[in-house]
Amino acid sequence: MDVRFNPTQDQSFELEGRGRYNFVGHHDAIERLVSEGKYMAACEARYEAFQLLAEVLPEDEAVPLRWEHPNSRAAVAILYGSAVDHFRIGDIEMATAQLEILLDCDPEDHFEGINLLALCYVVLEEWEAFEDIAIDLSDKSAEAVVVRLWARFRECGEVDRELLKLLRGRHKAYYAELIAAEHPDDESYRRDISSERPSQAAEAREWWLLTEPLWREYPEFIERVQRE
């Protein structure tokens, strides 16, 4: 067989794959496309690799993949990357499905995909699903605080003053990015975010650029926060 799931002692699995199930090879090829500026081709390659992964994952049970195993880690990275691709183009249903699979495959959530999944649930107004994961949205994460702030606004039409105070006080860079008039994806930002220790401002800009399509679709939330 070209693919198999090898169980480990820590109740996870190592995804062994050859040929088209060599996800390390897929990941490397995708990174080359990105480095060459071929972003559309990279998105297509990610989705094709995701489809291969989806074909072999069991439908009726979660299969946690061992992060330390290279092929498993590459598969998880591709899965997250494809979910981000679909989120950016507004295919929220597909992004939601992929992120749900991601959390099954990576329970430790190395990419913090739960924050993006929570945004998807708010967009879709799947409030029961949102409440199920809301307990895992930590105040230590600026992204999680914004998610909760927006959920409250979208559901009730109100800005939660305590959450806004938390964002302003504990996550100043994210608050500043949220209310900024411009968010340039310029050379200065790219140098910062690609460095060994990116600044909080750069990380906040990265988050904004990821979620920007959402705020273009729902500008009233940003406008309301700017006025508070």
Side-chain angles (χ1 to χ4, degrees):
M1 294 181 62
D2 289 334
V3 62
R4 63 184 179 184
F5 294 91
N6 294 329
T8 68
Q9 293 182 344
D10 62 1
Q11 298 184 324
S12 64
F13 295 84
E14 294 181 347
L15 175 54
E16 294 285 358
R18 295 180 300 178
R20 61 183 188 152
Y21 300 108
N22 176 3
F23 291 101
V24 171
H26 285 298
H27 187 267
D28 290 345
I30 292 164
E31 289 300 301
R32 283 195 297 272
L33 289 171
V34 171
S35 68
E36 294 168 2
K38 300 176 181 177
Y39 302 113
M40 185 61 70
C43 291
E44 292 173 356
R46 258 192 296 265
Y47 184 60
E48 289 172 2
F50 157 71
Q51 289 178 306
L52 290 172
L53 177 62
E55 286 175 7
V56 298
L57 286 171
E59 293 184 4
D60 55 350
E61 61 179 308
V63 180
L65 299 179
R66 185 169 178 265
W67 178 256
E68 292 77 14
H69 182 250
N71 202 54
S72 301
R73 184 170 62 250
V76 169
I78 288 168
L79 176 51
Y80 173 72
S82 187
V84 168
D85 292 338
H86 284 89
F87 183 88
R88 282 176 164 159
I89 64 172
D91 190 345
I92 303 301
E93 288 83 1
M94 176 59 76
T96 300
Q98 290 178 309
L99 290 164
E100 289 174 343
I101 297 171
L102 175 72
L103 293 184
D104 285 341
C105 290
D106 181 28
E108 296 181 11
D109 196 13
H110 291 85
F111 291 101
E112 297 187 357
I114 192 171
N115 296 323
L116 201 58
L117 178 58
L119 281 176
C120 291
Y121 285 151
V122 176
V123 174
L124 299 173
E125 297 186 324
E126 293 188 6
W127 299 117
E128 188 173 331
F130 176 80
E131 290 301 324
D132 286 343
I133 66 172
I135 192 172
D136 295 318
L137 299 176
S138 170
D139 287 350
K140 295 179 181 179
S141 166
E143 298 175 22
V145 174
V146 175
V147 171
R148 290 167 56 205
L149 192 64
W150 185 50
R152 173 76 176 187
F153 178 79
R154 185 157 168 77
E155 189 173 18
C156 306
E158 301 175 355
V159 172
D160 187 304
R161 298 300 179 106
E162 289 303 312
L163 285 173
L164 185 58
K165 181 179 178 181
L166 178 64
L167 185 65
R168 284 171 170 162
R170 186 180 294 183
H171 308 291
K172 294 182 176 65
Y174 279 77
Y175 173 72
E177 195 66 36
L178 193 67
I179 65 172
E182 297 182 349
H183 314 269
D185 184 3
D186 54 20
E187 185 178 344
S188 174
Y189 156 71
R190 288 178 178 270
R191 273 199 314 269
D192 193 341
I193 199 62
S194 62
S195 65
E196 284 189 19
R197 295 184 179 180
S199 67
Q200 288 186 342
E203 291 176 344
R205 178 71 49 79
E206 182 180 46
W207 166 80
W208 171 271
L209 293 173
L210 166 61
T211 57
E212 184 177 15
L214 188 65
W215 310 129
R216 284 203 306 266
E217 184 74 17
Y218 301 97
E220 61 276 6
F221 170 64
I222 303 297
E223 293 167 0
R224 180 64 178 275
V225 172
Q226 288 172 333
R227 293 198 303 267
E228 289 292 326

